[in-house]
Amino acid sequence: MTSRRALHFVFKVGNRFQTAHFFRDVLGMKVLRHEEFEEGCKATCNGPYDGKWSKTMVGFGPEDDHFVAELTYNYGIGDYKLGNDFMGITLTSSQAVKNARKLEWPLSEVAEGVFEIEAPGGYKFYLQNHIPPRADPVLKVTLAVSDLQKSVNYWSNLLGMNIYEQDEEKQRALLGYAENQCKLELQGIKGSVDHAAAFGRIAFSCPQRELPDLEDLMRRENQKILTPLVSLDTPGKATVQVVILADPDGHEICFVGDEAFRELSRMDPEGNKLLDDDPS
C-alpha cells in the first residue's frame, strides 16, 4: 500500500480568522489554498450542513508531501461541541513553541520538551520543542478507540496500514502507510467514543482505480460506507472522486483518487489574499 498517502485532517471551525491566526502565526503554517462553496458538499465534507461554507488548507509545505489541516467553516455557525474522539496532532517545531510564548498563547508542558496547546475550538496540539528531523514536522494524529484490537484489525487488515508500534498495556498503536508520512495513533479509552458536533475526518489518497475495489471490500466485510464513490467539484479546479468510510468507532475516513487530487491541491499563491479578503 505504498501508493497510499496520508493527506489531511478536517477541522470544523467556528471562528475562521482566529483559527487562521493560530495556524499561521502560532504553529507557523502557510495557507496553501482557500475555496468557497455556495452549498453543502455531496460527501458531507463540511458536516451535515446545506449552506454556504469554505475550506482553507494550511500546512508546513505543499500537499504533495506534507500532512496538512483542512479548516472547514460553515457560515453562521459559531461553535461546535467537542467530543472525546480527536485526541490531538503531534508535531515537531521549536519555532511554534517560540511563537506561542511570544504571542502569549497558553502552553502547558505535559512531558519533557513536549507542550500541549489548544487551537480555537479546543482542538489539542502537542509541540515537540526541537528542530524537525524531516521535511514535514507533523508526526501523528491521535484518535480515541473503544476496542484497540478491533480498530487495529480494521486499519491494518482492511485499509492496509503498517503497524509500527503496538502496546497493549498502554492501549495504543501506531500505524501508517510509510515511514516518511504522518502516522495514525490509536489510543484506547474506557467507554464509548463520542464524536459530538465537532467531529472531524481524516483523509488519504490512493490510485483512483483502487476506489471501487475499496468500496467493494467494505461491502463484503459489512463495514460502514458513509458515501459511496462520488465525484466532487471545486469551482475552477479539478474534479476528484472519493469514498467516505467509517471505522468501528465511527471515525470518518476519506479516500480520494490521487491523480486528480494532486491537481486539485496545487498551492494557490492567492490563498492568503482569498482568505483575508473574504468579508465574513
Side-chain angles (χ1 to χ4, degrees):
M1 299 293 180
T2 53
S3 56
R4 294 186 177 180
R5 292 190 296 138
L7 298 178
H8 56 257
F9 192 85
V10 181
F11 295 97
K12 293 191 194 74
V13 303
N15 186 321
R16 191 165 66 181
F17 293 103
Q18 192 180 36
T19 301
H21 169 58
F22 172 80
F23 280 90
R24 283 191 292 200
D25 302 329
V26 180
L27 295 187
M29 292 183 176
K30 305 178 184 77
V31 174
L32 305 173
R33 53 189 170 103
H34 176 79
E35 296 150 5
E36 295 281 336
F37 301 86
E38 292 301 318
E39 57 186 24
C41 171
K42 286 189 286 186
T44 62
C45 310
N46 61 315
Y49 306 99
D50 295 329
K52 185 179 178 184
W53 64 288
S54 74
K55 173 198 296 183
T56 309
M57 308 302 290
V58 293
F60 289 105
E63 292 178 68
D64 268 2
D65 51 13
H66 289 75
F67 189 86
V68 308
E70 177 176 320
L71 310 179
T72 296
Y73 175 71
N74 289 293
Y75 284 81
I77 300 179
D79 60 78
Y80 300 90
K81 185 174 185 294
L82 281 175
N84 63 359
D85 51 346
F86 174 77
M87 300 186 75
I89 285 180
T90 300
L91 58 94
T92 301
S93 175
S94 54
Q95 186 59 51
V97 175
K98 287 177 190 170
N99 294 345
R101 286 172 171 157
K102 182 180 177 182
L103 294 167
E104 299 183 347
W105 201 283
L107 276 175
S108 171
E109 191 165 15
V110 292
E112 188 175 352
V114 179
F115 294 86
E116 181 182 289
I117 189 169
E118 280 190 12
Y123 303 111
K124 286 182 166 48
F125 286 75
Y126 295 91
L127 311 179
Q128 296 183 354
N129 190 20
H130 49 85
I131 296 168
R134 60 180 198 180
D136 186 4
V138 182
L139 302 179
K140 64 183 180 182
V141 176
T142 305
L143 301 179
V145 298
S146 59
D147 182 329
L148 182 62
Q149 193 55 55
K150 187 175 181 181
S151 294
V152 168
N153 289 343
Y154 177 91
W155 287 92
S156 61
N157 295 345
L158 296 182
L159 295 185
M161 279 192 164
N162 304 309
I163 302 171
Y164 291 102
E165 299 172 20
Q166 188 165 356
D167 188 327
E168 290 297 333
E169 188 177 338
K170 292 182 179 177
Q171 279 291 290
R172 65 174 288 275
L174 192 69
L175 301 95
Y177 284 119
E179 281 283 3
N180 64 345
Q181 292 184 23
C182 176
K183 305 298 189 301
L184 172 66
E185 182 177 54
L186 304 175
Q187 178 62 58
I189 62 170
K190 291 180 179 175
S192 59
V193 175
D194 175 17
H195 298 276
F199 66 90
R201 175 181 287 180
I202 191 165
F204 303 90
S205 72
C206 66
Q208 187 166 306
R209 67 180 184 277
E210 292 182 10
L211 290 172
D213 295 338
L214 179 60
E215 184 178 325
D216 289 345
L217 171 64
M218 292 300 167
R219 289 193 194 284
R220 291 198 307 272
E221 296 291 332
N222 295 314
Q223 298 296 329
K224 190 174 285 187
I225 299 169
L226 298 177
T227 305
L229 185 61
V230 65
S231 294
L232 301 181
D233 299 323
T234 297
K237 296 189 178 181
T239 295
V240 297
Q241 290 192 313
V242 304
V243 173
I244 312 298
L245 310 173
D247 82 348
D249 285 294
H251 291 291
E252 294 196 359
I253 308 156
C254 172
F255 273 90
V256 58
D258 189 73
E259 299 88 342
F261 185 78
R262 285 184 186 272
E263 189 179 335
L264 169 68
S265 62
R266 288 177 185 160
M267 187 170 175
D268 182 356
E270 296 293 308
N272 267 311
K273 186 173 187 299
L274 289 170
L275 172 63
D276 293 338
D277 285 356
D278 195 278
S280 64

